[in-house]
Structures are given as C-alpha cells and as structure tokens.
Amino acid sequence: MALEVDGQSIELDEEGYLVDLSSWTPEVAKALAAEEDVELTDEHWDIINFLREYYEEYQIAPAVRVLTKAVGKRLGKDKGNSKYLYSLFPYGPGKQACKYAGLPKPTGCV
Amino acid sequence: MATKKFMFVNRKAPYGTVYALESLEVVLISAAFEQDVSLAFIDDGVYQITKGQNTDGIGQKNFSSTYKALGDYEIKKLYVEKESLEERGLTPDDLMDLVWEDEDDDWAEKPSIILVDRSEMTDVLADQEVILSF
Amino acid sequence: MAMLHIVNKSPFERVSFRSCLNHAKAGDSILMIEDAAVAAMDNTSFSDELKAAMADKSVYVLGGDYAARGLSEDRMIDGIKSVDYAGFVDLTVENETTQSWL
C-alpha cells in the first residue's frame, strides 16, 4: 500500500501504518486521517503530538491504559478517560491515533 | 481473573541475542492483564539496564529507554542482584535511574530498582507464582 | 601462522571465551564481538584472566558492541584496542586463519 502526499509516495503496511517512521509529517497525518474520513482537530493533534513525544522518549507506542493515564496527567482529568479518547478516535485510541502519529501499532494491541 | 505474582527473570546481555528485547515486549504485553509483575536482573541481565547505551556502532535499535516506561505500566519492582553487578565491575550508579510515579502522592517519582544480594534474590524467586525466564 | 580468534559469548555466561584463551597461541589475536564485548571492562571477575592472556596475545574489541552495552572507554582494560567494522575486516586480512569460538 502507498499514500500520495504532496506528490510523494509514502509506503504503508497492510494495516495502513507507516513502513518508515521517519517519513511522517503533519501532512502525512492529515492524509492518513482523510483516508478514514476524519478531519484532524486541535484535540486530535494534542493526542497525536503526545504520542510522538512518548515514542521519542521511550521508543514504544504506549498501551491504551498508559495513554489514558498520561493524557489525564498532561491535559487534565476530563481528557484522561477512555470515553473522551474514543470520541476522538472511535477505532481505538491506540490503533487509530498511533497510525496518524506515524507510530507502529502499540505493543500488545491486537 | 485472580492476580498472580509474575516474575520475569532476565539473565542475558542486550543486543547479542534477542532474549532481552523479547522479554521486554512480553513484559509490556503482560502488563495489560493487570497481574503483580516484577522483573529480576541476574548475571548478564544487568547489562540490560546500564545507562549510556549507544547502539550507533551496531545498527540496532537502542531499546534501553523503554525500561523507563515500565513505571507507566505499573511495573515498579525491578530486582537487581548485587553480586551480578560486582562480578562485572559495575555498581548501582552504572544503572539507569528507573522510577515510577505515584499518582496518589502528587506524581512523586519513586525508585523502581531494588538492589538485593544473592540470598535475598533466592527468597524473591521462591515467593513467585509464575516465573518466565529469558 | 598467526590466528585471529573471534569470541562472541560473554565469559560470564559460557565457557567458550575461557576455552579460546586456553587454545590461543602466543602472537595470536583475539577479537571480542557481540556479548563478548563486556569482557573488555576492567575490574570484573574475568579481567585478570584476560590480562594474563594479553602478555603474549593482542586483544581487540568491537567498539560498537562495547558502547551498546553502556560501557565507557575509560573503564576498559589498558592495552585492549577498540576497532570498528573496518578494523574487524583488517584483522581478518592480517591473520592467515580465523577461528570463531561460538
């Protein structure tokens, strides 16, 4: 699979995740979201940016439980719950948000 | 599901074989099952958590920083055997500063590494219900 | 006939490193790679044995493997030479034969 972004072909695996994590740009995130008819809002970006920082620091995509707790700490309790995260990423905050953030599927996420 | 005491025993240096990385991945997955998980670093396993690891020269992913995420996964007990460090010319200062944040104590950072001698490690192992060796 | 001995197992885990030291001749070279790189550190339970072997043999370590395990150059046994992959190749060329202690 491949995705066309700004005239560049970005390679995706069979589940739609980036093959080369370094090929990510914000434009790639928008294009990945558009594939699923999602328009990224500031609220989406808060989570995407958080995931990218987490990956940079720990070299893993966090499990949903870890993501939820960490978002609660960083962005407030009203956002650190699965209801809020699922409202932004209905296909699962782990899978869907990590995909847009250009990260691998979270370890332990089936 | 009843909670059991799970211990992952790490006895090999990272990068030379795949054991250390495999163990870490299973540990992260197992955290989803909300068991009482602890890790033991014995023998060459202590090299897994040394600080300053630099894999630029071998073209492998440096996964040492992932151990710093263990606290987020509610894994707060990392037993390190003193004798294993000493035999390798290492001291606790050579290990990464691995901590967990206590949500009930205003996110205060608390140390995860528990330094034990060989006889204490024997007791820790004897106290487990499930032991997975890597 | 100088020989290059390549060791890739930690001396704290397997006997292959010790076996290598027992079988290497004066004038031979020993290269530590992968998990064997940890033996380049000084003040370990193995360093005296390695230093004794260095009396009549040259010992090298693949620097990348040593650094990957978080070990610093200033704590390496004096006299061990750190090499990169190009140095590894040079060693195999300089020696007539190579023996791997797996």
Side-chain angles (χ1 to χ4, degrees), chain B residues 59 78 118:
Chain B
L78 310 180
R118 198 156 275 161

Side-chain angles (χ1 to χ4, degrees), chain C residues 20-31:
Chain C
C20 165
L21 295 185
N22 290 341
H23 293 90
K25 294 180 80 138
D28 282 355
S29 296
I30 297 166
L31 171 64

Side-chain angles (χ1 to χ4, degrees), chain B residues 8-54:
Chain B
F8 289 83
V9 179
N10 300 289
R11 292 187 46 257
K12 296 203 192 321
Y15 313 116
T17 57
V18 79
Y19 291 96
L21 180 57
E22 291 280 318
S23 172
L24 188 55
E25 289 189 343
V26 179
V27 165
L28 294 174
I29 292 166
S30 74
F33 298 99
E34 307 204 1
Q35 301 294 311
D36 179 7
V37 175
S38 57
L39 274 58
F41 295 92
I42 306 175
D43 301 337
D44 280 357
V46 298
Y47 291 118
Q48 294 178 21
I49 51 172
T50 54
K51 59 183 165 199
Q53 294 179 27
N54 178 347

Side-chain angles (χ1 to χ4, degrees), chain C residues 59-72:
Chain C
V59 176
Y60 302 83
V61 64
L62 202 54
D65 279 322
Y66 185 75
R69 286 152 187 83
L71 309 177
S72 62

